[in-house]
């Protein structure tokens, strides 16, 4: 999506970084990952914290200069990647699928990525493929999944203090119709992100599962996500706690709606989909130009019954309070899905048309908790 002014990729990231600072993302007091100690308190190749700690620095001070090279070196489970400050312009895949069996291997399982400075603005993994981008070999376009800058296909993945971005812009490619441009697609079970940023426009954060019928529990804590169309979407059972969602301005559309914050595609057999808890939704667009959510029932799963609860969250005026939900397809009206809210505040949370804002009862809200969604996995505990 074009901004109000033409933006180079670098200006896009810098502008987004400024927005992240304004949104209160955690920053390390000493910016420990910059300067002469690129890995800060997390060791170095000369003082490795554990045998399975690998160091990435694009300037050459680590074991590897790219994130993908470090991932490739993690041939068994349990590795930690410490990533020095810098922009890593590459696509990265964590997790391997055996082409013969279609099964995931243990490579990259239980992996942790750490932004060394403990400031998510310092470590940026970014690329610029879109769904409609032609592959270099001319074999076709990437499609939505193929557009992802980062693809996580391993279980037990954790990331801290990292920015995942896709800086493909519609304004730069007026002839491309496939404008989905994923910053990260997450398919693994027990995937956790703490103090991370997700920057893009359409389909920024793809919180999904490996396959229909496979559970993928995901947890996002104190994260920031921005975009315009369906920029948090997918089939995962995901909890977004203390997260900030920001909708972007557009100049390519004459009127509302500009887009949709959430687009879950929960399988009908999954009792729970997305839970947004104690969050914040802001906008740089005019008031009421965005919808809070719409259900995604993909062609690959026409029985999907999207599930979303937004509770105890401040919703700004950018969200249309009169009609906060809409359909992606009239064949699957949002009223037939599992959408509900509870104790939200802010101008975008005003209950103007009660039928358009289904609310949980106090008894129902007792079951809309991170514990209910994530079961025996407690990623909010410990470091």
């Amino acid at each position: 999506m074009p901004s109000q002014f033409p933006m180079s990729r670098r200006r896009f990231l810098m502008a987004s970084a400024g927005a992240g600072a304004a949104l209160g993302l955690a920053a390390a007091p000493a910016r420990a990952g910059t300067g002469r100690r690129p890995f800060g308190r997390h060791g170095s190749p000369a003082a490795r914290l554990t045998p399975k700690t690998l160091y990435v620095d694009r300037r050459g001070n680590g074991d590897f200069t790219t994130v993908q090279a470090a991932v490739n070196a993690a041939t068994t489970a349990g590795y930690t990647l410490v990533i020095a400050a810098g922009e890593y312009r590459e696509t990265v895949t964590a997790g391997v699928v055996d082409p013969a069996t279609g099964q995931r291997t243990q490579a990259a399982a239980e992996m942790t990525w750490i932004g060394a400075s403990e400031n998510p603005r310092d470590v940026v993994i970014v690329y610029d493929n879109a769904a409609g981008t032609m592959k270099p070999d001319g074999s076709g376009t990437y499609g939505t999944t193929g557009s992802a800058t980062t693809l996580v296909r391993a279980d037990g993945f954790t990331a801290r203090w990292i920015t995942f971005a896709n800086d493909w812009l519609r304004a730069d490619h007026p002839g491309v119709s496939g404008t989905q441009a994923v910053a990260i697609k997450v398919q693994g079970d027990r995937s956790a992100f703490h103090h991370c940023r997700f920057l893009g426009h359409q389909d920024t954060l793809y919180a999904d599962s490996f396959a229909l019928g496979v559970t993928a529990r995901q947890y996002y804590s104190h994260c920031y996500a921005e975009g315009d169309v369906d920029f948090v979407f997918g089939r995962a059972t995901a909890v977004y706690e203390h997260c900030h969602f920001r909708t972007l301005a557009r100049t390519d559309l004459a009127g509302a709606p500009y887009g949709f914050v959430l687009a879950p595609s929960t399988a009908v057999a999954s009792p729970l989909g997305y839970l947004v808890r104690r969050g914040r939704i802001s906008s740089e667009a005019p008031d009421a130009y965005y919808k809070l959510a719409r259900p995604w029932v993909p062609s690959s799963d026409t029985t999907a019954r999207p599930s979303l609860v937004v509770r105890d969250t401040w919703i700004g005026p950018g969200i249309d309070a009169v009609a906060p939900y809409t359909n992606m397809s009239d064949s699957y009206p949002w009223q037939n899905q599992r959408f509900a809210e509870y104790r939200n505040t802010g101008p975008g949370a005003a209950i103007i048309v009660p039928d358009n804002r289904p609310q949980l009862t106090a008894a129902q809200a007792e079951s809309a908790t991170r514990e209910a969604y994530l079961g025996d996995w407690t990623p909010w505990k410990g470091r």
Side-chain angles (χ1 to χ4, degrees):
M1 171 209 85
S3 182
Q4 295 180 355
F5 304 97
M7 299 180 76
S8 68
R9 296 185 182 102
R10 183 167 298 278
R11 284 185 60 206
F12 168 69
L13 288 172
M14 290 175 63
S16 298
L23 297 170
L25 291 174
R31 301 295 288 271
T34 58
R36 289 179 293 178
R37 296 182 61 212
F39 304 108
R41 66 186 180 92
H42 302 284
S44 69
R48 204 174 299 276
L49 294 186
T50 71
K52 286 190 172 183
T53 302
L54 303 176
Y55 296 89
V56 182
D57 181 9
R58 66 185 182 89
R59 299 173 183 85
N61 296 309
D63 300 307
F64 304 95
T65 58
T66 68
V67 178
Q68 186 65 67
V71 171
N72 292 346
T75 54
T76 59
Y79 273 83
T80 295
L81 272 56
V82 181
I83 307 173
E87 179 184 299
Y88 296 84
R89 180 159 286 276
E90 56 177 305
T91 58
V92 184
T93 298
V96 178
V97 177
D98 186 328
T101 65
Q103 298 298 310
R104 287 173 290 174
T105 72
Q106 287 302 304
E110 311 303 327
M111 177 177 278
T112 298
W113 296 3
I114 296 174
S117 72
E118 302 181 16
N119 183 331
R121 296 185 294 276
D122 290 340
V123 176
V124 180
I125 302 172
V126 57
Y127 210 72
D128 61 346
N129 284 329
T133 301
M134 185 64 65
K135 295 179 182 178
D137 62 5
S139 61
T141 56
Y142 282 104
T144 300
T145 293
S147 75
T149 298
T150 301
L151 176 61
V152 177
R153 310 192 78 176
D155 292 337
F157 180 87
T158 299
R160 299 178 184 273
W161 307 299
I162 295 174
T163 292
F164 299 91
N166 189 319
D167 57 1
W168 189 91
L169 295 175
R170 297 187 188 99
D172 294 341
H173 306 275
V176 175
S177 58
T179 56
Q180 300 90 343
V182 177
I184 186 170
K185 179 172 183 177
V186 186
Q187 296 178 290
D189 185 36
R190 295 178 292 104
S191 298
F193 296 81
H194 304 273
H195 298 282
C196 289
R197 300 190 307 155
F198 307 97
L199 309 182
H201 289 275
Q202 183 172 353
D203 292 5
T204 304
L205 170 55
Y206 196 169
D208 204 46
S209 72
F210 185 67
L212 183 62
V214 177
T215 299
R217 293 167 294 171
Q218 299 174 17
Y219 181 68
Y220 300 81
S221 170
H222 298 88
C223 290
Y224 169 76
E226 68 177 28
D228 49 40
V229 177
D230 304 332
F231 63 93
V232 180
F233 74 114
R235 188 171 50 216
T237 298
V239 174
Y240 306 89
E241 191 165 47
H242 302 291
C243 290
H244 196 131
F245 306 88
R246 186 162 179 83
T247 60
L248 300 176
R250 299 184 65 166
T251 58
D252 59 320
L253 295 179
Y258 277 178
F260 323 89
V261 180
L262 299 139
S265 58
T266 320
V268 68
S270 298
L272 302 168
Y274 285 0
L275 170 65
V276 176
R277 178 175 179 264
R278 296 183 179 178
R280 179 179 177 85
I281 300 172
S282 68
S283 181
E284 64 179 44
D287 290 357
Y289 266 53
Y290 273 87
K291 303 293 186 180
L292 180 60
R294 63 178 182 171
W296 177 33
V297 179
S299 58
S300 59
D301 179 19
T302 57
T303 66
R305 192 159 176 251
S307 168
L308 168 68
V309 171
V310 180
R311 61 171 300 172
D312 303 297
T313 290
W314 184 87
I315 302 176
I319 299 300
D320 179 4
V322 174
Y325 304 104
T326 190
N327 300 334
M328 188 176 295
S329 167
D330 289 341
S331 299
Y332 307 101
W334 73 265
Q335 293 91 341
N336 292 349
Q337 314 310 322
R338 296 174 284 182
F339 283 8
E341 300 179 53
Y342 184 67
R343 293 194 313 194
N344 294 323
T345 59
I351 302 176
I352 299 171
V353 181
D355 286 348
N356 289 347
R357 301 212 84 135
Q359 302 289 310
L360 297 178
T361 65
Q364 290 170 331
E366 291 180 359
S367 299
T369 65
R370 61 191 182 184
E371 291 84 359
Y373 277 65
L374 303 181
D376 60 357
W377 179 51
T378 56
W380 54 88
K381 293 183 178 180
R383 188 183 182 282

